[in-house]
């Protein structure tokens, strides 16, 4: 057989696509990416694209990290897609000084910006202008703590980001002025402003933000809405926003909370710390139901309710007008699942999923528990009481920490039962601290 001679001095060239596949396979290995950037000129841009796609500047960030965004010799700015900046809790406002030296115009591919402890009330006009300029290209804005003079300052940030698709305001929001704003107040401050149709995901605990968006966009473009800490004073605002969203809204998450002025928790509820969480007031949900909260959203695909009683979520689910519901997620406590007694009756909940509009929907129970032994028993209880849904493969059991991996984790834990010592050591079910009768 003839063997062709190969010139050992001739380099074997691979298509660039193969090079890119190699570098993409180590996208999360920072040390390897740094080494690959030094191999050749062809590898450097791809390696840097992965290496510097995310940059986090914690409070009092070290000098070398700041120089990456301010020094004239730095060449990494075009590669940054996700930027996180955290202001100090005490002392000087380093972010204010940092923004003035930052080469903002070179962040041409910035997509996501996270601002932790945004001290808008303490920034001078020049710093605010720099920050607004930073928002020009972002598609996702996360405000983990916001300190503003009024709730309307958030709209100023929103207006500065015409390409924004996702706005997430987490944790708490402090305002020097706590007064509510009318539609006239909002339109007077933003006379020629319209909310971009690019904004489709909104997560907030600020009701006045819903008012402002509704005022500037009579038909909000929101497809995914997450509303946290919803009490009685804010229910009417939420219901009006849902009504205005109409068929645009596809995914909804609502967390109801006990409001000031609600009926007090019975003294007996304090006998066991685990049952205190069951004693939240019904008033926010009653108000939501009376305002026909979910009857105006015929395109809903999924609903997540953070509540602890069937008497809360049952009537809400009965209001669903969408024939497209494919997932209902309910977060509850272990004691609510085991000791329903009408507070959270899984049999009644399962009956709702036997008739339209939930006849084809999946029920996901998210139980706030970390102990695997307890989770195994809780899953058994849920499966016993929701046997029809389990048989139709429409029942999911999640823990917040494990998420979609919960079922596989529990299956593996059960399979290794014989290897554990000691075995399950406490009685199940546990004693009910509030037995019926």
């Amino acid at each position: 057989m003839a063997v062709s001679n190969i010139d050992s001095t001739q380099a074997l060239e691979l298509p660039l696509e193969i090079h890119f596949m190699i570098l993409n396979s180590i996208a999360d290995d920072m040390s390897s990416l740094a080494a690959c950037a030094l191999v050749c000129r062809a590898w450097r841009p791809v390696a840097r694209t992965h290496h510097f796609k995310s940059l986090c500047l914690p409070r009092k960030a070290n000098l070398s990290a700041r120089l990456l965004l301010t020094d004239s010799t730095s060449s990494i700015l075009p590669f940054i897609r996700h930027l996180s900046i955290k202001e100090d809790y005490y002392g000087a406002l380093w972010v204010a000084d940092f923004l003035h030296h930052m080469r903002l115009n070179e962040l041409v591919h910035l997509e996501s910006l996270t601002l932790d402890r945004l001290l808008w009330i303490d920034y001078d006009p020049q710093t605010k202008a720099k920050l607004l300029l930073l928002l020009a290209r972002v598609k996702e804005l996360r405000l983990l703590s916001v300190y503003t003079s009024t709730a309307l300052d958030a709209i100023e940030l929103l207006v500065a980001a015409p390409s924004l698709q996702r706005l997430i305001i987490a944790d708490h929001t402090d305002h020097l002025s706590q007064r509510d704003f009318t539609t006239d107040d909002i339109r007077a401050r933003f006379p020629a402003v319209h909310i971009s149709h690019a904004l489709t995901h909104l997560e907030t605990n600020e009701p006045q933000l819903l008012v402002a968006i509704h005022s500037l966009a009579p038909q909000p473009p929101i497809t995914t809405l997450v509303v946290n800490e919803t009490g009685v004073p804010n229910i009417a605002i939420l219901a009006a926003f849902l009504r205005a969203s109409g068929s645009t809204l596809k995914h909804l998450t609502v967390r109801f909370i006990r409001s000031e002025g609600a009926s007090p928790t019975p003294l007996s509820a304090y006998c066991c710390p685990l049952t205190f969480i069951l004693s939240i007031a019904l008033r926010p949900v009653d108000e939501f139901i009376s305002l026909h909260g979910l009857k105006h959203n015929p395109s809903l695909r999924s609903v997540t309710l953070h509540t602890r009683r069937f008497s809360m979520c049952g009537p809400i689910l009965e209001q669903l007008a969408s024939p497209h519901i494919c997932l209902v997620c309910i977060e509850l406590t272990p004691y609510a699942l085991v000791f329903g007694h009408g507070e959270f009756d899984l049999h009644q909940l399962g009956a709702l999923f036997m008739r339209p509009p939930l006849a084809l929907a999946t029920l996901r129970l998210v139980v706030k528990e970390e102990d695997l032994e307890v989770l195994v028993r809780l899953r058994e209880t849920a499966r016993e009481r929701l046997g029809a849904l389990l048989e139709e493969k429409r029942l999911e059991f999640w823990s917040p920490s494990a998420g979609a991996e919960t079922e596989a984790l529990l299956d593996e834990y059960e399979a290794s039962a014989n290897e554990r010592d000691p075995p399950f050591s406490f009685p199940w079910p546990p004693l009910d601290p509030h037995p019926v009768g």
Side-chain angles (χ1 to χ4, degrees):
M1 179 182 296
V3 179
S4 61
N5 293 326
I6 300 177
D7 186 357
S8 59
T9 63
Q10 183 179 1
L12 180 62
E13 295 186 2
L14 295 175
L16 283 178
E17 291 80 0
I18 302 299
H19 291 255
F20 296 162
M21 290 176 63
I22 295 172
L23 293 171
N24 290 340
S25 68
I26 59 170
D28 297 324
D29 187 341
M30 296 299 108
S31 60
S32 296
L33 287 171
C36 288
L38 302 177
V39 171
C40 63
R41 291 182 180 179
W43 281 25
R44 182 180 300 174
V46 182
R48 285 191 163 192
T49 297
H50 292 304
H51 194 182
F52 296 109
K53 66 180 178 182
S54 298
L55 182 62
C56 179
L57 299 177
R59 54 180 181 264
K60 290 187 178 178
N62 58 58
L63 181 59
S64 60
R66 297 193 197 186
L67 289 177
L68 290 174
L69 297 177
T70 58
D71 191 85
S72 60
T73 62
S74 175
S75 58
I76 68 130
L77 281 82
F79 301 112
I80 299 176
R81 284 174 166 75
H82 311 285
L83 178 62
S84 177
I85 302 175
K86 189 169 187 177
E87 184 63 277
D88 280 335
Y89 282 94
Y90 306 102
L93 302 177
W94 75 268
V95 171
D97 179 66
F98 172 69
L99 286 172
H100 287 282
H101 297 89
M102 190 171 168
R103 292 150 54 194
L104 301 177
N105 60 322
E106 296 183 38
L107 291 168
V108 292
H109 294 121
L110 185 64
E111 297 178 357
S112 173
L113 177 63
T114 299
L115 299 173
D116 193 347
R117 189 172 167 81
L118 179 64
L119 301 174
W120 189 261
I121 54 176
D122 293 333
Y123 295 154
D124 58 43
Q126 291 77 20
T127 301
K128 292 181 179 179
K130 289 286 187 179
L131 186 55
L132 295 177
L133 181 61
L134 185 60
L135 298 174
R137 297 184 181 92
V138 301
K139 298 179 181 178
E140 178 182 78
L141 175 61
R142 294 176 175 266
L143 305 176
L144 301 188
S145 289
V146 187
Y147 297 82
T148 60
S149 56
T150 71
L152 296 188
D153 289 336
I155 294 295
E156 189 171 356
L157 297 172
L158 179 59
V159 171
S163 301
L164 194 66
Q165 299 174 5
R166 294 167 56 88
L167 175 61
I168 300 171
I169 302 180
D171 294 343
H172 62 282
T173 305
D174 288 348
H175 307 297
L176 294 182
S177 173
Q178 297 291 340
R179 76 180 184 88
D180 295 338
F181 289 88
T182 66
T183 299
D184 292 337
D185 294 330
I186 297 167
R187 290 178 178 171
R189 179 167 173 177
F190 305 100
V193 169
H194 300 280
I195 299 298
S196 171
H197 286 283
L199 182 64
T200 57
H201 182 108
L202 175 62
E203 180 174 344
T204 182
N205 61 348
E206 179 51 66
Q208 289 300 308
L209 181 61
L210 297 181
V211 174
I213 292 178
H214 187 193
S215 300
L216 300 175
Q219 295 181 328
I222 307 299
T223 60
T224 300
L225 177 64
V226 180
V227 183
N228 299 310
E229 301 180 11
T230 306
V232 173
N234 307 328
I235 291 297
I237 293 174
L238 173 59
F241 192 88
L242 293 176
R243 190 179 303 112
S245 299
S247 60
T248 303
L249 190 63
K250 302 294 190 299
H251 310 283
L252 174 66
T253 296
V254 181
R255 176 177 286 107
F256 295 101
I257 63 169
R258 181 187 180 90
S259 302
E260 294 183 6
S263 56
T265 303
L267 183 61
S268 59
Y270 293 91
C271 296
C272 177
L274 291 174
T275 62
F276 171 70
I277 201 167
L278 298 176
S279 304
I280 59 178
L282 293 176
R283 288 179 56 189
V285 176
D286 292 340
E287 183 75 10
F288 187 76
I289 294 170
S290 67
L291 294 173
H292 308 291
L294 295 182
K295 287 192 174 181
H296 305 281
N297 306 107
S299 299
L300 274 176
R301 300 293 196 274
S302 68
V303 175
T304 299
L305 297 177
H306 295 262
T307 181
R308 272 72 176 178
R309 299 185 178 189
F310 173 77
S311 55
M312 286 177 157
C313 67
I316 294 178
L317 295 178
E318 290 176 345
Q319 284 193 341
L320 286 169
S322 172
H324 309 292
I325 291 289
C326 58
L327 175 65
V328 173
C329 178
I330 298 176
E331 182 184 272
L332 66 161
T333 63
Y335 269 64
L337 192 154
V338 178
F339 307 117
H341 303 325
E343 300 289 346
F344 199 100
D345 193 319
L346 289 183
H347 295 292
Q348 296 183 45
L349 182 63
L352 291 179
F353 284 78
M354 297 295 110
R355 59 180 186 268
L358 301 177
L360 299 177
T362 295
L363 171 61
R364 177 183 298 161
L365 298 178
V366 181
V367 183
K368 302 180 70 174
E369 176 60 55
E370 301 298 328
D371 190 290
L372 292 179
E373 291 279 11
V374 176
L375 282 172
V376 167
R377 297 306 190 268
L378 290 171
R379 184 174 66 166
E380 290 176 359
T381 301
R383 288 178 170 181
E384 289 173 1
R385 299 179 185 179
L386 298 168
L389 289 179
L390 178 64
E391 185 177 348
E392 296 175 2
K393 297 182 178 180
R394 294 196 292 135
L395 177 64
E396 296 180 0
F397 188 87
W398 282 30
S399 166
S401 58
E405 303 298 325
T406 303
E407 297 274 12
L409 181 65
L410 296 182
D411 290 341
E412 181 181 350
Y413 188 78
E414 283 190 292
S416 63
N418 295 331
E419 303 174 6
R420 295 193 302 274
D421 186 34
F424 195 67
S425 58
F426 57 88
W428 191 267
L431 296 177
D432 187 351
H434 298 287
V436 175

